[in-house]
Amino acid sequence: MKRGKVLVMAMVLSFSSLAFAGAATDVVKAKQTSLFELLGKPSPDNQKKVGAAFDEMLDYAALSEASLGSEWAARSDAEKAEFSDVLKQLVRKAYERNLKKTLGYNVEYLSEAPKGSAVVVKTRAVSKTNAREEPITIDYVLAQKNGAWKVQDIITEDVSLVSSYRSQFTKIVKKDGFPALIKKMKDKLAKGET
């Protein structure tokens, strides 16, 4: 009888862990795995592949519009295009830097849950070498665009990339204007900051 209960519990646990997996989780896991492999073996060719992987994974249009918030509608098409291009470069650099920091971690894919029209994939990065180090929570907000799952926000330790950018960008635009924002963003890129 006990053996039967143990078997049932094992099946329930294995099914419950499978229930967390979904199409969005599969996309994040596959892209992350590919990116970790590429970043672990730096080369000019791999750097191009890293950029291509980011472009497949990230929804730069959604990131741009959400990061600029209410200021987006007031911008001309040329301003939107310039802002989107510069933000794309900033996001790529920030994401690459953060991925390099987690090369020494095991990433656990915890759950996938709907959030409005999007899906949140919850992950946790656990140090491979220091068991005492606190795990880092990283959540990916994805939505389907043209039949593919794309990341629209990354939330690290409860801090949203989009909200963080929006708060900085709104302050700069209100205080110094949109051209000043573009200049500051370009200056950050030139200095290698994100």
Side-chain angles (χ1 to χ4, degrees), residues 37-52:
E37 287 173 11
L38 292 168
L39 291 170
K41 301 173 192 159
S43 75
D45 189 45
N46 278 358
Q47 194 57 44
K48 287 179 190 168
K49 290 177 184 175
V50 166

Side-chain angles (χ1 to χ4, degrees), residues 22 54 60-61 70 77 107 119 132 140 145-146 167 174 186:
F54 285 147
Y60 296 115
S70 60
D77 287 346
V107 178
V119 168
R132 292 183 187 174
Y140 298 87
K145 190 169 188 178
N146 302 323
S167 133
K174 288 189 185 314
K186 286 181 176 178

